């Protein structure tokens, strides 16, 4: 049993946070497009960002800010324009955005972190942003998580939010999170936007380490289409308002906090993979028997990211050969005669030898997942064992449908 419970409230469930989401006129659709997360006190801040050589201005800004100062009070996110590959002027727009929201909140601009999502090559519509900032500040609320979650999405079909609570030193500690992502999803950190809030007291160095490991076990273990974005940002704040003793070193309390942080990130990551553009189901790949966790995750990510595996799942074709082929090209050594593959409860390969199985029933299993309840009964499970090692790992993806091509063929038109 997990040592925490799910609660309501999203990113405003932890103490001392407010959030808002409004329509500022940044999106051509007229949908909500400007979100703000605000901590009532200075919070320890950590971040993990895209590894792409083409980075959005907000990514460069946040990396520099967090290197100079590992704390923040506000996160401003605009949707509609990625402000990536926009040159010097794009970066100046980012600096102006931080100064404007800092002035509106009466905090230093150095305490502001930024994120953007939308079309690459388009600058932020600064006139709309300038007029929207007073409105989003005025809309801040302790119940504003849902509005913020709705204001950061682009091609997403659903918003993504979660909050968990545990007990540390006999006091409740909470972590909440929201995320966006549907396309351009591939594990290279992290190909989406995610914002996490926490009310624990934790040292900056420890919080950054926890977040990096949580990212590897969640956002860096999902894939939709094999494309890494220019704007990937995972930002986490910890403001200490739970009034628990400070966690400054490794121990039981640090392990509990990191486990809950990882659970929040994994929930959001799976929600992103399930909401993959055109997807009809979530694919969860679990690999066991590898030399170590990193090797197991590498095999799992390769299988989850295989276009042939994804296409077979969409076609409700229990073609285990594609799973075996993907595992074999993952770059992780293993003995073929040790390979075992299961699709759901259907054992298809054992000790490297194919087995007879009910193909019609296996196909029906895939069809049932496509009509199952969201993030409950809509998951196709692929289990792969590669040996007798202690390493295990998971990755998540989605099937590849006709609609993925349609959505992306029309993205800017």
């Amino acid at each position: 049993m997990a040592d925490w419970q799910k609660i309501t409230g999203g990113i405003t469930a932890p103490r001392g946070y407010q959030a808002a989401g409004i329509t500022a006129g940044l999106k051509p659709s007229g949908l909500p497009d400007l979100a703000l997360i605000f901590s009532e006190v200075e919070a320890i801040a950590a971040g993990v960002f895209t590894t792409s050589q083409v980075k959005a201005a907000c990514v460069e800004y946040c990396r520099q800010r967090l290197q100079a100062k590992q704390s923040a009070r506000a996160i401003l996110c605009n949707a509609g324009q990625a402000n990536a590959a926009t040159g010097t002027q794009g970066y100046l727009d980012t600096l102006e955005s931080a100064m404007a929201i800092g002035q509106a909140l009466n905090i230093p601009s150095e305490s502001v972190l930024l994120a953007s999502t939308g079309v690459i090559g388009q600058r932020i519509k600064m006139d709309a942003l300038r007029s929207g900032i007073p409105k989003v500040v005025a809309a801040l609320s302790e119940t504003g998580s849902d509005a913020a979650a709705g204001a950061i999405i682009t091609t997403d079909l659903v918003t993504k939010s979660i909050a968990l609570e545990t007990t540390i030193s006999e006091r409740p500690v909470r972590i909440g999170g929201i995320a966006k992502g549907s396309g351009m999803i591939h594990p290279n950190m992290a190909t989406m936007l995610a914002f996490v809030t926490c009310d624990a007291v934790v040292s900056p160095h420890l919080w950054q380490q926890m977040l990096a490991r949580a990212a590897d076990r969640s956002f860096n273990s999902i894939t939709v289409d094999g494309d890494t974005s220019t704007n990937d940002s995972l930002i986490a704040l910890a403001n200490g308002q739970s009034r628990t003793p400070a966690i400054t070193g490794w121990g039981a309390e640090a392990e509990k906090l990191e486990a809950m942080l990882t659970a929040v990130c994994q929930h959001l990551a799976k929600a992103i993979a399930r909401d993959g553009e055109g997807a009809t189901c979530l694919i969860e790949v679990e690999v066991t028997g590898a030399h170590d966790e990193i090797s197991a995750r590498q095999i799992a990510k390769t299988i989850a990211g295989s276009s042939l595996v994804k296409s077979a799942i969409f076609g409700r074709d229990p073609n285990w050969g594609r799973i075996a082929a993907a595992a074999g090209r993952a770059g992780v050594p293993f003995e073929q005669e040790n390979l075992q593959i299961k699709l759901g409860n259907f054992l298809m390969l054992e000790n490297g030898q194919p087995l007879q199985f009910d193909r019609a029933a296996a196909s029906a299993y895939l069809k049932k997942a496509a009509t199952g309840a969201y993030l409950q009964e809509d998951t196709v499970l692929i289990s792969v064992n590669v040996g007798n090692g202690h390493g295990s790992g998971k990755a998540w993806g989605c099937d590849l449908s006709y609609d993925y091509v349609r959505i992306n063929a029309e993205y800017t038109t």
Side-chain angles (χ1 to χ4, degrees):
M1 294 290 291
D3 196 17
W4 52 76
Q5 61 182 346
K6 186 178 290 188
I7 59 174
T8 60
I11 52 170
T12 53
R15 291 167 182 80
Y17 292 98
Q18 300 176 49
I22 67 161
T23 299
L26 297 163
K27 288 181 182 176
S29 64
L31 294 172
D33 49 24
L34 188 62
L36 178 62
I37 302 166
F38 180 63
S39 174
E40 295 171 0
V41 298
E42 194 78 5
I44 298 302
V48 184
F49 303 95
T50 183
T51 57
S52 173
Q53 293 301 303
V54 181
K55 299 177 178 66
C58 57
V59 170
E60 295 285 8
Y61 168 86
C62 285
R63 288 169 65 94
Q64 293 177 23
R65 279 284 177 263
L66 290 175
Q67 286 173 1
K69 177 185 176 183
Q70 292 178 298
S71 66
R73 287 191 64 183
I75 303 170
L76 180 71
C77 178
N78 74 279
Q81 300 85 44
N83 199 25
T86 51
T88 301
Q89 188 56 54
Y91 193 76
L92 292 175
D93 291 342
T94 295
L95 294 178
E96 182 185 343
S97 301
M99 291 183 65
I101 195 68
Q103 291 173 356
L105 291 168
N106 196 28
I107 62 174
S109 61
E110 291 79 10
S111 293
V112 175
L113 297 173
L114 301 169
S116 300
T117 182
V119 179
I120 295 170
Q122 292 188 5
R123 289 173 50 201
I124 301 170
K125 295 179 180 178
M126 292 304 294
D127 287 343
L129 186 76
R130 293 184 192 102
S131 63
I133 282 177
K135 298 174 184 176
V136 76
V137 170
L140 282 171
S141 165
E142 294 180 354
T143 59
S145 180
D146 288 347
I152 66 174
I153 61 175
T154 50
T155 59
D156 308 55
L157 297 179
V158 296
T159 57
K160 301 158 182 75
S161 175
I162 188 174
L164 300 177
E165 180 181 275
T166 192
T167 300
I168 293 178
S169 298
E170 300 182 349
R171 292 184 64 86
V173 171
R174 299 171 179 175
I175 300 179
I178 61 172
K180 67 85 54 184
S182 185
M184 248 192 187
I185 305 295
H186 191 61
N188 207 3
M189 187 48 225
T191 326
M192 50 8 85
L193 300 180
F195 308 118
V196 173
T197 57
C198 175
D199 54 17
V201 185
V202 58
S203 69
H205 181 67
L206 204 58
W207 189 232
Q208 179 64 52
Q209 288 183 329
M210 289 179 179
L211 189 67
R213 280 192 292 267
D216 280 341
R217 293 167 178 161
S218 58
F219 300 114
N220 276 336
S221 294
I222 60 173
T223 182
V224 169
D225 47 22
D227 276 295
T228 296
S229 170
T230 57
N231 289 56
D232 310 339
S233 299
L234 166 61
I235 299 172
L237 304 179
N239 68 5
Q241 292 302 287
S242 64
R243 306 300 183 187
T244 50
I247 300 174
T248 58
W250 294 111
E253 293 181 345
E255 291 176 4
K256 180 187 287 190
L257 186 67
E258 181 174 334
M260 189 165 71
L261 173 64
T262 301
V264 165
C265 291
Q266 285 184 341
H267 174 89
L268 295 174
K270 288 192 284 186
I272 288 172
R274 174 60 185 91
D275 196 27
E277 290 168 340
T280 67
C281 63
L282 177 70
I283 300 172
E284 179 174 296
V285 183
E286 181 174 20
V287 174
T288 57
H291 175 68
D292 53 30
E293 180 185 352
I294 294 175
S295 299
R297 284 208 312 268
Q298 180 60 32
I299 298 172
K301 288 188 286 188
T302 304
I303 296 170
S306 165
S307 294
L308 291 178
V309 171
K310 291 154 66 68
S311 298
I313 299 298
F314 175 67
R316 320 309 172 203
D317 178 13
N319 187 346
W320 62 264
R322 293 181 173 181
I323 300 171
R329 67 174 174 84
V332 176
F334 63 86
E335 297 299 327
Q336 181 172 327
E337 57 266 27
N338 292 331
L339 187 61
Q340 178 194 80
I341 295 175
K342 291 176 66 178
L343 179 67
N345 292 322
F346 297 92
L347 183 62
M348 299 175 166
L349 187 75
E350 178 76 15
N351 297 322
Q353 298 295 316
L355 302 177
Q356 294 293 322
F357 65 93
D358 189 336
R359 294 187 65 86
S363 181
Y365 166 72
L366 298 175
K367 293 176 182 176
K368 183 178 180 181
T371 59
Y374 182 74
L375 289 183
Q376 296 179 41
E377 300 164 346
D378 59 350
T379 304
V380 171
L381 299 175
I382 297 175
S383 303
V384 176
N385 184 273
V386 295
N388 299 314
H390 298 293
S392 64
K394 291 183 180 181
W396 297 271
C398 62
D399 56 343
L400 184 60
S401 74
Y402 311 128
D403 277 345
Y404 177 83
V405 175
R406 178 188 59 78
I407 291 166
N408 283 283
E410 303 169 357
Y411 189 69
T412 64
T413 57

